Amino acid sequence: DAKTTQPNSMESNEEEPVHLPCNHSTISGTDYIHWYRQLPSQGPEYVIHGLTSNVNNRMASLAIAEDRKSSTLILHRATLRDAAVYYCILRDRTSGNTPLVFGKGTRLSVIA
Amino acid sequence: EAGVTQFPSHSVIEKGQTVTLRCDPISGHDNLYWYRRVMGKEIKFLLHFVKESKQDESGMPNNRFLAERTGGTYSTLKVQPAELEDSGVYFCASSQDRSGLTNTGELFFGEGSRLTVL
């Protein structure tokens, strides 16, 4: 799987939007962009994924650059519960069952 | 619907002893994955089952680790004999079979089994 680059940490105030960036300059045409997060003392959980178009769900939005070499996870209103490590992961869509490969992720702190 | 469950949540053993971790995936999920996170390190893939078959065991650190998934339902991961460096959190995840589909399936993770080797 192609590698991703994320900032080690970010900080946000509660109830403000958060933009978590991810660079994936070596992404291939068959890679989906996945985001997972790991809350303290829990297993990772799925957040969102996309291929080319921007995506929205109840948890977040995913903005994908036109050249697909970067993406941004957007939390519209950060809450204390959103404090977690966020992982941006590429996954080949032609092999639907391949394991996820985790990097270091971005540790998001939310300040009340 | 029950999620992925792991047992035990925490195990403390002495070096040289044996520990067996268990994972019950979501019912109907053919894919089962084991991962671990050693203190201060990234989450690392260990192996992947499709039903009862080992699809990919490239992440297994050495032959002290044995994973099984008899009958394609729950899985066990045995460490024998345990060493100090085996301490960490072991995560299990499951997903539906997406073979032949051009979309990737979400992985559902358990809360992990914390292993402490003294």
Side-chain angles (χ1 to χ4, degrees), chain A residues 32 34 36 38 41-46 49 87 91-104, chain B residues 31 33 35 37 42-43 45 48 50 56 91 95-99 101-107 109-112:
Chain A
Y32 268 85
H34 287 247
Y36 280 72
Q38 186 177 20
S41 301
Q42 294 189 24
E45 65 175 356
Y46 168 83
H49 77 280
Y87 298 95
R91 199 173 183 212
D92 188 347
R93 70 178 177 136
T94 62
S95 182
N97 301 318
T98 55
L100 299 172
V101 178
F102 288 85
K104 292 182 169 57
Chain B
N31 293 286
Y33 309 83
Y35 288 82
R37 180 178 210 149
E42 298 162 21
I43 299 171
F45 165 75
H48 169 206
V50 177
D56 180 355
F91 294 104
S95 70
Q96 292 180 321
D97 181 24
R98 306 293 294 180
S99 297
L101 300 176
T102 57
N103 195 352
T104 58
E106 173 185 351
L107 265 65
F109 284 80
E111 295 196 348

Side-chain angles (χ1 to χ4, degrees), chain A residues 8-36:
Chain A
N8 289 334
S9 62
M10 291 185 66
E11 199 172 83
S12 172
N13 292 318
E14 195 177 12
E15 304 210 353
E16 290 189 355
V18 182
H19 290 231
L20 297 164
C22 180
N23 287 321
H24 29 79
S25 59
T26 58
I27 191 171
S28 76
T30 56
D31 284 331
Y32 268 85
I33 302 158
H34 287 247
W35 284 80
Y36 280 72

Side-chain angles (χ1 to χ4, degrees), chain B residues 2 5 13-14 18 23-24 27 37-38 42 45 49 58 63 77 81 84 89 97 100-101 105:
Chain B
T5 56
I13 61 173
E14 293 190 351
T18 298
C23 169
D24 285 77
S27 177
R37 180 178 210 149
V38 173
E42 298 162 21
F45 165 75
F49 283 101
S58 60
N63 59 11
L77 179 64
L84 299 178
V89 182
D97 181 24
L101 300 176

